Amino acid sequence: MTPPHPEVAEVTIGELAERSGVPASALRFYERQGLIHSRRTTGNQRRYTRATLRQVAFIRASHHLGIPLSVIGKVLALLPPGEVPGQEFWARASDCWTEDINSRIARLERMRDRFSECIGCGCLSFPQCALVNPNDELGKEGSGPRRLFDN
């Protein structure tokens, strides 16, 4: 497919899907979630501004990093209508969730380190394990993998 002419202000959902690499079904989902917006033609067809292509790229890149769509939506809401996410916007967005990403990294590192202790034992029986959970002390805190998910 040939790219839209530079003077064309809007693209169809098919053109947006092809250019962004995002299925039309996902684009419709993004729209239902309020992440992107379209206008409807008299024939009820969606038309997106060309700026939506950059917004979709931002959504995909952010979601790939594990940022929930609800958080992405809050950040996109800071973008003035019709404005294309540029380098400054990406930097501000990154600042919004750097603390969350660092927190998730720290939690994953703790899980990796604690899970390795259990693998080292090999019994995988926390109630009976004298090394990881003597006398099932963790059982008093409730069910589940307490050492993996605390903090």
Side-chain angles (χ1 to χ4, degrees), residues 55-101:
Q55 291 171 337
V56 170
F58 176 79
I59 293 166
R60 295 294 286 194
S62 302
H63 200 229
H64 182 71
L65 292 174
I67 307 300
L69 290 177
S70 60
V71 174
I72 295 168
K74 289 176 185 175
V75 172
L76 278 174
L78 303 174
L79 190 64
E83 186 175 313
V84 177
Q87 185 175 2
E88 182 181 322
F89 178 80
W90 284 67
R92 284 186 308 190
S94 176
D95 290 343
C96 288
W97 48 61
T98 295
E99 184 178 333
D100 178 59
I101 291 172

Side-chain angles (χ1 to χ4, degrees), residues 98-110:
T98 295
E99 184 178 333
D100 178 59
I101 291 172
N102 288 339
S103 174
R104 283 191 282 148
I105 289 169
R107 187 175 70 246
L108 287 169
E109 287 175 339
R110 281 193 308 275

Side-chain angles (χ1 to χ4, degrees), residues 30-140:
Y30 291 166
E31 191 169 347
R32 283 192 306 274
Q33 299 302 308
L35 300 172
I36 61 175
H37 306 283
S38 69
R39 76 167 184 86
R40 297 296 183 115
T41 66
T42 55
N44 204 29
Q45 295 176 335
R46 290 175 168 88
R47 294 293 186 263
Y48 299 92
T49 64
R50 291 171 55 90
T52 306
L53 186 60
R54 286 247 183 115
Q55 291 171 337
V56 170
F58 176 79
I59 293 166
R60 295 294 286 194
S62 302
H63 200 229
H64 182 71
L65 292 174
I67 307 300
L69 290 177
S70 60
V71 174
I72 295 168
K74 289 176 185 175
V75 172
L76 278 174
L78 303 174
L79 190 64
E83 186 175 313
V84 177
Q87 185 175 2
E88 182 181 322
F89 178 80
W90 284 67
R92 284 186 308 190
S94 176
D95 290 343
C96 288
W97 48 61
T98 295
E99 184 178 333
D100 178 59
I101 291 172
N102 288 339
S103 174
R104 283 191 282 148
I105 289 169
R107 187 175 70 246
L108 287 169
E109 287 175 339
R110 281 193 308 275
M111 288 173 60
R112 178 203 58 215
D113 295 345
R114 291 175 178 170
F115 193 67
S116 296
E117 291 173 6
C118 180
I119 290 172
C121 167
C123 76
L124 295 176
S125 176
F126 286 105
Q128 289 81 27
C129 184
L131 297 175
V132 176
N133 187 21
N135 301 317
D136 193 23
E137 290 296 319
L138 295 174
K140 296 172 186 171

